[in-house]
Amino acid sequence: MTFKHNFKKVLSATAFAAALVVAPAANVSAATNDASSTQQSATATSQDQQASQDQAASQSSAANQSSATAASASASTSTSSATSTSTVKKTTKKAKKTTKKSKKKKAVKKVAKKTTKKKATKKAKKTSKKSTKKTTKAATAAVTASAGQSQATDQQDDAAKKAAEAAAKKAAAKKAAAKKKAAAKKKAAAKKKAAAKKKAAKKSAEKAAKYWIAMRESGGYYTARNGSCYGRYQLLISYLGGDLSKKNQERTADRYVYGRYGSWVNAKRFWLAHNWY
C-alpha cells in the first residue's frame, strides 16, 4: 500500500513538472484567454494519472509474483545446496579416510623398503667384505708367487750373468794368451830374422874382408908364392901341411884367421894398421 501511495505522489509530481515545462512553451496569452482548455487538460492529466496508477498496480503485482517465485527458487536452491553440502561432506570424509589408508599403506611400504634396503646393504657389505678378503688373499698369494718367481728368475739371471762373465773372462784370457803367444812368436821370428839378417850381413862382411885380404896378398891367385908363403892368402907352407889345394887353402886360412883375430873383419882392421896379418 505504501508503495502505491508513493507511486501516485511521484506520478502527480511528474505531471506537475511536465505541466511546468510545457507551460513556458505555450503562449501566455492563450493560457489566460482559454480557461476551458486548461480544465480539459486537467481532466486529461487526471486520466493519465489514473492510467499510470493502474499500470503501477499491475507492475507491483507482477513484482510480487516475481519475488515469490524468486523466494521459492531460493528456497529450492538452499535445500539443494544443503543436500549438496551434505554429500560433499560425506565424500570428503570418505576421501580423507581413503587418503589416510593410502598414507598408512605408503608408510608401511616405505618402512618395508627401508628394511629390505638395510638387509640388502648388509648382505652386500658382507659379500663385499668376503670378496675383498678373498681377492686380497689371492693377490697376496699371487704377489708372493710372483716374488718367488722373480727371485728365482733373478737368481737364474745372476747365475747366467756369472757364467757369461766367467766364459767371457776365460775367452778373454784365452784370447790374450793366444795374442801373447802370437806376439812372442812374432817377436822370436823377428829376432830370428834379425839374427839371420845380422848373420848374413856378417857373413857378407866376412866374405868381403876375406876377399879384400886375398886381393892384397896374392891378387886372388891360389898359386902365388912369396918366399916361404904360398897361395891365395900367402900362408906359410908349413900351415898347409903339404896340401896346396884350393879347398885346403880356404880351410887353413879360415882356421888361422878365426884362431888369431876372431874374424876376417878384425884381420882386415889389423892389416890396415900393419900392412900384414
Side-chain angles (χ1 to χ4, degrees):
M1 293 296 287
T2 56
F3 178 76
K4 287 182 180 181
H5 185 70
N6 290 327
F7 188 73
K8 284 181 181 181
K9 283 183 179 182
V10 169
L11 286 176
S12 63
T14 54
F16 182 72
L20 287 176
V21 171
V22 174
N27 196 357
V28 176
S29 62
T32 55
N33 291 325
D34 199 359
S36 61
S37 62
T38 56
Q39 288 178 356
Q40 290 177 358
S41 64
T43 55
T45 54
S46 64
Q47 290 177 357
D48 291 333
Q49 287 176 357
Q50 189 64 35
S52 63
Q53 287 176 357
D54 294 333
Q55 190 176 0
S58 63
Q59 286 179 356
S60 66
S61 63
N64 289 326
Q65 290 178 357
S66 64
S67 64
T69 55
S72 63
S74 65
S76 62
T77 53
S78 64
T79 54
S80 63
S81 65
T83 55
S84 63
T85 52
S86 65
T87 54
V88 166
K89 284 180 180 179
K90 288 179 180 179
T91 53
T92 52
K93 283 181 180 179
K94 286 182 180 179
K96 284 180 180 179
K97 285 181 180 179
T98 53
T99 52
K100 283 182 180 179
K101 287 181 180 180
S102 63
K103 283 181 179 179
K104 284 181 180 179
K105 286 181 180 180
K106 285 181 180 179
V108 170
K109 284 182 180 180
K110 282 182 180 179
V111 171
K113 281 183 181 179
K114 284 181 180 179
T115 53
T116 52
K117 278 184 181 179
K118 284 181 179 179
K119 287 180 180 180
T121 51
K122 283 182 180 179
K123 284 183 180 180
K125 284 180 179 179
K126 285 181 180 179
T127 53
S128 65
K129 282 181 180 179
K130 286 180 180 180
S131 63
T132 50
K133 283 181 180 179
K134 286 181 180 179
T135 51
T136 50
K137 282 181 180 179
T140 51
V143 167
T144 52
S146 64
Q149 288 179 358
S150 64
Q151 191 174 2
T153 52
D154 291 336
Q155 288 177 356
Q156 288 178 358
D157 292 336
D158 291 335
K161 281 181 181 178
K162 285 180 180 178
E165 286 177 358
K169 283 181 179 179
K170 194 174 181 180
K174 195 174 181 180
K175 193 175 181 180
K179 196 173 181 180
K180 194 175 181 180
K181 193 176 180 180
K185 196 174 181 179
K186 193 176 181 180
K187 193 175 180 181
K191 196 174 181 180
K192 193 175 181 180
K193 193 176 180 180
K197 195 175 181 180
K198 191 176 180 180
K199 191 176 180 180
K202 189 178 180 181
K203 192 176 181 179
S204 64
E206 287 290 305
K207 193 176 181 180
K210 189 177 182 181
Y211 178 79
W212 186 87
I213 289 173
M215 293 303 290
R216 291 296 181 275
E217 289 293 327
S218 62
Y221 293 103
Y222 286 99
T223 59
R225 188 168 185 169
N226 185 14
S228 59
C229 295
Y230 184 83
R232 183 179 175 89
Y233 302 100
Q234 290 297 300
L235 297 172
L236 292 173
I237 295 173
S238 60
Y239 290 166
L240 293 173
D243 189 2
L244 302 176
S245 63
K246 293 179 181 179
K247 192 175 181 179
N248 190 34
Q249 287 183 25
E250 293 289 335
R251 186 170 55 245
T252 304
D254 289 334
R255 187 169 58 246
Y256 169 74
V257 168
Y258 287 116
R260 184 166 182 163
Y261 301 105
S263 65
W264 285 99
V265 173
N266 293 332
K268 182 182 177 181
R269 286 197 194 100
F270 185 84
W271 198 100
L272 288 170
H274 302 93
N275 289 322
W276 60 277
Y277 72 105

